[in-house]
Every structure is written in structure tokens, then in C-alpha cells.
Amino acid sequence: MDARLAPVIERADAAFGEAVRQVGEFVDYAAVSYGGAEGAHAGRVRELAAAVVRHLGNLPAAQRPSRCLLHELPDALPLVTAEWDAGGALPTLLVYGHGDVQPANAEEWHSPPFEAVVRRDDSGSERLYGRGTSDDIGGWYSHVAAIRAWLASRGRLPLNVRLMIEFEEEIGSPNLMRYVDHLGDFVEVDAMVLTDCENPSVDVPGLTVSLRGLAEADLVCRTGHGDGHSGLFGGVWSDPSLALVRIANRLLDADGRAAFARQELGRDERRALASVDPELDFDPAAALPDRGRAKAEWVWRQPAITITGTSLPDVASENNESKPTNSVRGEARLRLSIRVPPGATADAVLDEVEAIVADSPPPGIQVSLERRHAGDGGAWRYDVPDCIAFEAANRAYATVWGTPPLRVGVGGSIPFVQQFAARFGATTPLILNGVLDPASALHAPNESLHLGVFRKAIHTNIHLLDEFGKLARGRFMDPPSG
């Protein structure tokens, strides 16, 4: 640990319990953004946004932001910004996080999802349980805690810091770029730290460099007639339901993986992904064969396909009046959710899928692919620039964690990352970090924040402020010093 920063770290540790309690208080708001500005919980989301502004505005004078504002655009949930000014000649860092959360079914939780509680997990580690603890209230508050510790110890930050907290991330950030336009030069910064990403383990940090995109389409099989009783027509009429199963199977290889849009990676990249494998928490009994590819490659850099819905009747109990009838259906469809690998586009992947399913349809069956959603046009891949900003980030992580961060991927899409990358990625370093670990259970029952990771995140952010403060304004994309 850098001796210069020891007093700052000590202040952070002294206030650590307060930081954990504050994350818990924000969790208690149950700020579920599902439904958007008119959703059932929109009032609670707005209450949390106002509470964040109050909290920041009521900090001790030495720690208080110079400006803290609640922004509201028509037909949107709010956004909060705060600024800590250190001096015009110093560089500026933007920290992004989100305060909204996913819904939670209390019956599936060990404790009420919107009442944050600390308890030990099976490994004996302390965790703060509650919806939003790690995704993403703990993420952005780890930066607030670092800022507070720095100011309480030094009285002044080593660079200007701007904080942006969104409240629509869990519904796809539909108005994020509207807010960016509304904020004007607020987003003219030297670097951005985007929270909400995962570390490979509680002992190994990670910076996210790739996301798979998302495409959605309906595979439809139909005939020219309506439904008919299978006792009268079965074996004579073509059955769209059975055709649907046969055609969907064309999209899979012998292991059940997507047989399309495979990406060919370079030797160095495959070696790097293989090195991450020991840190990935997969149940060996449930994992598909590797087939010469690392698990990290399969989940981060290759396509995947899931059926998320069907028009076929549910298998019902005998007492259920909607019990399926014995019919040859006139039409059947599957909703396909496809993870688009970095390097491909959603449209290109759907073109490939369409060619596969439309080839040689079964007799009497009309096959079509109805496209529903193609994300932001494809998957995102951030080729981490060889620049001094990432060199500085590596030093900060190595100082606290004892090892530089692994460059990792995320198996799913995160719309705000794609939006920031499209808007700023060519000119501004994007540092994607977070407080998640493989056991955090984001979006699932019993979501939690590992308190050891939370403490290390605060310490790392203190070092990030120090490292970035040493860099010259406007020079963060310069080549590394070597």
C-alpha cells in the first residue's frame, strides 16, 4: 500500500460501516424501474433519486459536492449529477452508476429483498444481502466513499470528479443519451469509469472489455389451414409444431450450442481467455464439453441461443381448464433470444439464422423468421487502448488487490456500455469496473455485496483518483510510459 495514501485509506476504513449502512438505506427504497416513467414503482424510483441528492447535499462541508442536481426529462425517470471541483487546470473524471433495480419475488429470498441485511455466506464471508446491493448501488457508492475519504483526509481531490447516476439502466437506458445531450459539457471529460461490472472472483479484480449483444426473433411455422383434430388429420396434414422442433434443431451443434456466427479468435486471445478459466465459477456437472475452447471464450466471445417463449400450449394439470387439446395446430412459433458475439452484428447473425431455417422447409410448411429486436445494431467489443489511463488503472488495482485486473467479458448485453462506447469510446478511455463477484447473484434471488470486495473497491478507487490525478489534462489517451 502506498504510504502517501495511508491516511486516506484509514479514513475510508473508519467510515466503512457508515458506507455499508448507506448502501442499505438506498436498497430499502425498492427503486424498481420496470414500467418506466409511468410504472408501478416510478414513485419509489423518484424518491430514491431525491434521497441521493439529499444525502450528497448533507455531507460534511469538506466532503460535499460543489453542485448536485436532480434532472428530469419528459417521459423519463430522473438522473442525478454531482460535481467535486478541484481546479480548472486539472483533469476530469466521470463516474457513472445506476440506482434503479430489478424486481424481486420475496418468496424466493432468505430475507426481505428490500431490507438490506448483513450475514455470512457458506464460505464464512460477510455479505450485504438485498436487491441492488451489488447491482449497482454498492458499485457507485464505492466511488462516493473514496471521494469522501480523500476529502476528509486531504481537503481537496487530485482531479475534478463528476458523478452521474441513472435510474433507467435496468430497462435498457432508453433516455440515457437524451440526458447526455441535456447535460452538455458535463460529459467533456478525460476518462470515464463505468460501474456495474463483475470481478472474476473475490480475490481477482477484473475490467470488462467485451459484451455480447442481443437479437430477438420469432421462428414461425404455418400451413394454409387452421387447427384440426389429430385423430382425423394426424399423419395426413403437416404439423407445424413438430416442424418447429425439427427446424430449431438445425440451429444447434451436437452439444446443443449455437451452430452459427462462430468467431475465430487469435492464438494470443484464446490463451488469455484460457488463463481466466480457473476463476470462473461453473458447475462442472452442468457444463457442456469445452471442445478445445475455454469456458470464458464460450460465454464471452461466442454466440448462444435460448428459447424464451412459444405459442404451444402449456402442459397443464388435469384440473386446469386450459388443458391442451389433441390438435394439429395451423401455426406454431418459438421466440429466439440470441447472444451476438463481439465482432458480429445482430442483423448479420439474424441473416445467417434466417438462411438456415428457410432452407428446404418440410412438406406443406411455410417457414419464416420474424425479427423483433436487434439491440443497438450488434455486440460491443472494446479493444482496450494501449494508453496511460489503463496503465494507471492497472497500478491502482495491483496496489490494492496484489494483481493487475484481468480483462474479462460479460456474457450478456449492457445497453449503457454500448451507448457510451459509441459516443465516447474513440476519444475517451472507458474503465469498466464494479463490485460484483460470481456469487453476487445479480438479477436473481439473494443478491449480495461481498463486503471484502466492497472495501477493496473503495481502496482501489482512492488509488484511481491518485493515479489519474498525476496525468496531464487531455493526455489520457497517450501511449503508456513503458
Side-chain angles (χ1 to χ4, degrees):
M1 195 72 67
D2 190 330
R4 293 181 306 106
L5 298 181
V8 185
I9 298 294
E10 289 172 3
R11 292 301 293 261
D13 285 344
F16 183 72
E18 179 188 348
V20 173
R21 286 192 296 275
Q22 189 57 60
V23 171
E25 287 185 19
F26 289 151
V27 166
D28 292 349
Y29 277 85
V32 175
S33 57
Y34 181 78
E38 303 301 324
H41 304 280
R44 296 296 285 166
V45 177
R46 293 187 174 95
E47 288 174 16
L48 175 57
V52 171
V53 172
R54 270 196 316 276
H55 171 70
L56 296 175
N58 290 333
L59 292 177
Q63 304 170 23
R64 199 175 300 155
S66 51
R67 281 174 294 280
C68 187
L69 298 172
L70 178 68
H71 307 265
E72 289 201 73
L73 293 176
D75 303 316
L77 290 170
L79 181 135
V80 170
T81 61
E83 300 177 66
W84 287 265
D85 292 330
L90 294 172
T92 301
L93 173 69
L94 174 71
V95 175
Y96 162 94
H98 70 87
D100 61 317
V101 299
Q102 285 279 333
N105 181 355
E107 294 180 356
E108 298 175 334
W109 286 65
H110 298 314
S111 55
F114 298 111
E115 295 178 16
V117 296
V118 175
R119 66 173 185 272
R120 294 190 182 275
D121 62 16
D122 292 341
S123 72
S125 299
E126 281 194 326
R127 288 181 176 268
L128 180 68
Y129 287 85
R131 176 63 87 221
T133 51
S134 57
D135 179 26
D136 173 49
I137 297 170
W140 58 263
Y141 201 81
S142 72
H143 289 275
V144 174
I147 292 168
R148 294 187 60 185
W150 193 287
L151 290 170
S153 176
R154 296 285 184 87
R156 183 173 179 268
L157 292 174
L159 77 169
N160 303 296
V161 179
R162 296 172 182 173
L163 177 67
M164 175 191 297
I165 304 175
E166 185 192 8
F167 290 86
E168 293 185 322
E169 192 276 340
E170 297 294 4
I171 56 172
S173 301
N175 295 293
L176 179 57
M177 289 301 110
R178 285 179 64 203
Y179 274 115
V180 166
D181 292 336
H182 168 74
L183 294 173
D185 61 5
F186 182 86
V187 293
E188 294 178 5
V189 298
D190 293 279
M192 296 182 178
V193 173
L194 312 179
T195 69
D196 197 25
C197 291
E198 184 174 310
N199 301 290
S201 78
V202 298
D203 300 310
V204 178
L207 292 180
T208 298
V209 298
S210 72
L211 304 170
R212 290 192 296 192
L214 190 64
E216 189 177 77
D218 283 0
L219 173 60
V220 184
C221 291
R222 58 170 61 93
T223 64
H225 55 72
D227 295 357
H229 194 280
S230 65
L232 298 176
F233 301 103
V236 176
W237 280 2
S238 297
D239 190 327
S241 300
L242 295 176
L244 194 68
V245 175
R246 292 169 57 193
I247 293 173
N249 192 53
R250 298 177 184 175
L251 300 173
L252 306 176
D253 67 11
D255 294 326
R257 290 188 171 103
F260 53 88
R262 293 280 177 87
Q263 302 299 296
E264 291 303 321
L265 309 183
R267 183 175 59 182
D268 291 344
E269 187 172 17
R270 295 185 73 177
R271 184 183 299 117
L273 290 169
S275 71
V276 181
D277 260 12
E279 306 299 338
L280 295 180
D281 184 19
F282 287 106
D283 179 0
L288 295 172
D290 289 347
R291 306 299 183 195
R293 300 178 190 264
K295 292 181 178 63
E297 178 179 341
W298 284 120
V299 77
W300 296 340
R301 302 288 171 79
Q302 296 297 344
I305 185 169
T306 306
I307 294 174
T308 59
T310 173
S311 66
L312 303 179
D314 291 336
V315 178
S317 66
E318 293 183 0
N319 296 327
N320 191 325
E321 294 181 0
S322 63
K323 183 177 180 179
T325 58
N326 217 332
S327 298
V328 177
R329 302 169 64 79
E331 177 184 298
R333 65 176 61 215
L334 294 178
R335 182 147 300 165
L336 305 177
S337 176
I338 299 170
R339 294 295 176 179
V340 181
T345 67
D347 286 337
V349 170
L350 290 177
D351 286 345
E352 191 172 345
V353 169
E354 188 168 27
I356 293 170
V357 301
D359 184 46
S360 302
I365 299 293
Q366 304 162 19
V367 180
S368 62
L369 189 73
E370 297 180 1
R371 305 184 186 204
R372 295 178 49 82
H373 173 69
D376 294 319
W380 174 83
R381 169 72 181 280
Y382 188 38
D383 291 316
V384 178
D386 192 17
C387 67
I388 58 173
F390 279 90
E391 184 182 49
N394 284 344
R395 286 195 299 268
Y397 273 91
T399 300
V400 175
W401 292 72
T403 180
L406 291 175
R407 294 179 178 183
V408 301
V410 173
S413 57
I414 306 179
F416 79 81
V417 174
Q418 295 172 317
Q419 294 178 47
F420 274 111
R423 189 76 168 258
F424 305 106
T427 58
T428 307
L430 306 178
I431 314 293
L432 274 65
N433 71 2
V435 296
L436 290 156
D437 72 88
S440 291
L442 76 162
H443 295 193
N446 303 304
E447 177 184 341
S448 66
L449 170 64
H450 188 285
L451 295 187
V453 171
F454 186 47
R455 187 186 297 271
K456 284 190 284 191
I458 295 170
H459 291 184
T460 301
N461 294 334
I462 288 170
H463 282 269
L464 275 176
L465 293 173
D466 179 59
E467 291 287 352
F468 287 157
K470 298 173 184 175
L471 305 182
R473 182 180 178 185
R475 306 295 298 271
F476 278 50
M477 293 288 278
D478 283 3
S481 63

